[in-house]
């Protein structure tokens, strides 16, 4: 009994030491990591090292948290396997939970919006600003005829792979995985109902998207797109050239043009629908969902011509005969001249 009593001071001291160690461990490893309490994000790419990861984390973390994280990482093999990705630093993250995220690659997806880009180059640039893959790498794949052929497209039609919408993806997703995801989303978009409507028109999905891309460039007014679609479909059925000004702008590589002159109409390009009948080889931009659905649900009417309204509202005057169209075109030309638009 006396021996036990003699050991009590030592037991008490040891208990205090253990309690102290637990308290220190809790303070360092289980308390909050974030310095702001707000959710912040860092992106770790293939060139990052432990030191550069620390540099990215430091502005968002408590100094004591960084010390504790450093201790954990030094006793782990993290430096041998830095995981790429976009990582969230959340307000309720502890040092230990942050360490586990980094070590196990538990990244957060981002919301990637596919824009209605006019060219693959503009699309690649937009994607390169959002993803780890840079625009040059994306363009190399989009220009790779074998790669796009495996997806069911060619260089003129590959832009039809992309349906403008917002998707959840990982920041470090590979280009191949991204394109496979877009193929899956494209297939989901072209469901049975849409596919049946395209077949009823005698058109493939790519053809529908090609016509829709022209309509999107003709107007930003979604409620008018079905009217324009009906006009172009009437022309296609009659074997008339589309004579769509946006295709001339695309052929010239200049969408800023406000007026199209006769010499421009002679531009020798398969995209120039004044010179070549039918649809161009592929879309002149990523077609909007509104544009695609306008083609599939086109307005039934007898109009064969259209011209921008002279009030510059962005809407159009439609005509059944060429003489009616000429009158509309003359009013619009006068309005352009009065405003000094060349």
């Amino acid at each position: 009994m006396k021996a036990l009593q003699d050991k009590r001071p030592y037991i008490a001291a040891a208990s205090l030491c253990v309690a102290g160690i637990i308290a220190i461990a809790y303070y360092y490893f289980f308390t909050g990591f974030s310095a702001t309490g707000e959710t912040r994000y860092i992106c770790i790419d293939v060139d990052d090292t432990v030191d550069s990861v620390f540099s990215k984390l430091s502005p968002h973390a408590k100094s004591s948290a960084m010390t504790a994280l450093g201790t954990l990482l030094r006793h782990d093999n993290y430096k041998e396997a830095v995981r790429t990705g976009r990582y969230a630093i959340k307000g309720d993250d502890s040092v230990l939970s942050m360490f586990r995220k980094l070590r196990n690659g538990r990244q957060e997806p981002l919301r990637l919006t596919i824009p209605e880009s006019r060219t693959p180059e503009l699309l690649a640039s937009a994607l390169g600003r959002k993803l780890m893959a840079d625009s040059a790498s994306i363009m190399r794949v989009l220009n790779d005829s074998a790669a796009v052929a495996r997806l069911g497209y060619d260089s003129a039609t590959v832009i039809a792979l992309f349906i403008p919408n917002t998707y959840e993806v990982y920041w470090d997703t590979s280009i191949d995985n991204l394109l496979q995801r877009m193929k899956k989303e494209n297939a989901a978009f072209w469901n049975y109902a849409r596919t049946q409507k395209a077949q009823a028109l005698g058109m493939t999905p790519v053809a529908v998207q090609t016509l829709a891309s022209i309509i999107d460039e003709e107007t930003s007014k979604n409620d008018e797109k079905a009217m324009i679609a009906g006009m172009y479909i009437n022309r296609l059925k009659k074997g008339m050239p589309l004579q769509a000004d946006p295709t001339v702008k695309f052929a010239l590589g200049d969408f800023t043009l406000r007026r199209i002159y006769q010499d421009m109409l002679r531009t020798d390009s398969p995209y120039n629908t004044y010179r070549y009948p039918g649809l161009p080889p592929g879309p002149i931009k990523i077609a909007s969902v509104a544009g695609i659905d306008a083609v599939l649900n086109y307005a039934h009417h007898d109009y064969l011509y259209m011209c921008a309204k002279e009030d510059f509202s962005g809407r159009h005057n439609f005509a059944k005969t060429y003489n009616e169209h000429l009158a509309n075109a003359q009013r619009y030309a006068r309005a352009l001249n009065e405003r000094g638009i060349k």
Side-chain angles (χ1 to χ4, degrees):
M1 189 69 171
K2 185 176 184 304
L4 180 60
Q5 288 176 341
D6 291 341
K7 291 179 180 178
R8 281 178 180 172
Y10 298 103
I11 294 172
S15 298
L16 284 173
C17 286
V18 171
I21 291 169
I22 292 172
I24 292 170
Y26 181 86
Y27 174 75
Y28 274 105
F29 302 129
F30 292 95
T31 56
F33 182 84
S34 171
T36 65
E38 299 175 357
T39 300
R40 303 291 174 82
Y41 297 92
I42 65 163
C43 292
I44 300 174
D45 62 37
V46 291
D47 296 323
D48 275 313
T49 63
V50 173
D51 291 338
S52 61
V53 170
F54 260 62
S55 295
K56 291 180 177 182
L57 287 168
S58 291
H60 313 297
K62 299 172 185 175
S63 58
S64 59
M66 290 302 297
T67 301
L69 181 64
T71 301
L72 289 171
L73 293 180
R74 277 196 302 274
H75 291 85
D76 189 77
N77 66 344
Y78 180 71
K79 66 180 180 180
E80 306 298 331
V82 175
R83 301 286 191 93
T84 61
R86 174 178 176 265
Y87 295 89
I89 305 168
K90 297 181 179 179
D92 59 354
D93 275 332
S94 67
V95 173
L96 188 60
S97 67
M98 196 68 221
F99 164 70
R100 286 172 174 166
K101 281 185 189 181
L102 296 171
R103 185 187 62 183
N104 298 327
R106 294 210 310 264
Q107 59 174 304
E108 293 282 325
L110 58 80
R111 291 174 63 79
L112 177 69
T113 298
I114 300 296
E116 295 173 20
S117 307
R118 283 174 170 151
T119 65
E121 290 79 9
L122 290 174
L123 172 64
S125 178
L127 295 178
R129 289 193 295 271
K130 290 284 189 178
L131 301 172
M132 185 172 76
D134 60 65
S135 59
S137 300
I138 296 169
M139 274 308 303
R140 277 195 294 273
V141 176
L142 293 181
N143 285 330
D144 185 334
S145 58
V148 297
R150 286 194 292 271
L151 295 166
Y153 297 87
D154 57 35
S155 59
T157 61
V158 67
I159 204 164
L161 170 68
F162 300 89
I163 303 296
N165 210 329
T166 300
Y167 309 96
E168 277 201 350
V169 302
Y170 288 114
W171 175 76
D172 62 350
T173 187
S174 70
I175 300 170
D176 287 341
N177 284 345
L178 176 66
L179 295 180
Q180 287 297 329
R181 171 68 183 280
M182 292 300 99
K183 184 177 181 180
K184 180 180 177 181
E185 296 292 347
N186 185 289
F189 176 83
W190 282 102
N191 55 26
Y192 179 80
R194 284 193 174 100
T195 302
Q196 287 296 107
K197 289 178 180 179
Q199 289 177 355
L201 284 169
M203 301 173 97
T204 64
V206 170
V208 171
Q209 287 171 257
T210 299
L211 182 54
S213 72
I214 296 171
I215 294 166
D216 284 338
E217 286 295 330
E218 292 282 18
T219 184
S220 61
K221 311 295 184 185
N222 287 340
D223 61 345
E224 194 184 49
K225 288 181 179 180
M227 281 289 291
I228 297 175
M231 186 212 69
Y232 280 132
I233 288 170
N234 287 345
R235 293 180 75 92
L236 287 171
K237 287 179 177 178
K238 288 181 175 292
M240 299 172 66
L242 294 183
Q243 296 183 328
D245 288 356
T247 64
V248 179
K249 295 178 183 180
F250 183 87
L252 292 168
D254 187 356
F255 278 96
T256 66
L257 293 170
R258 298 290 299 275
R259 299 185 76 157
I260 302 296
Y261 294 97
Q262 284 297 319
D263 61 323
M264 297 177 181
L265 303 183
R266 293 190 288 272
T267 301
D268 190 8
S269 166
Y271 286 90
N272 181 359
T273 57
Y274 278 86
R275 186 158 181 171
Y276 293 94
L279 292 168
I284 61 172
K285 67 182 289 289
I286 294 179
S288 71
V289 173
I292 294 169
D293 285 341
V295 175
L296 297 176
N297 302 284
Y298 70 95
H300 294 258
H301 54 63
D302 297 326
Y303 296 121
L304 292 170
Y305 305 91
M306 74 175 191
C307 179
K309 283 192 172 182
E310 61 277 10
D311 61 2
F312 297 96
S313 62
R315 297 186 179 277
H316 295 80
N317 288 314
F318 293 87
K320 296 178 182 179
T321 68
Y322 186 61
N323 286 336
E324 290 174 355
H325 172 64
L326 283 179
N328 292 334
Q330 287 169 0
R331 286 199 301 274
Y332 182 61
R334 280 197 300 270
L336 290 173
N337 292 334
E338 288 170 1
R339 296 195 179 198
I341 297 174
K342 305 231 179 248

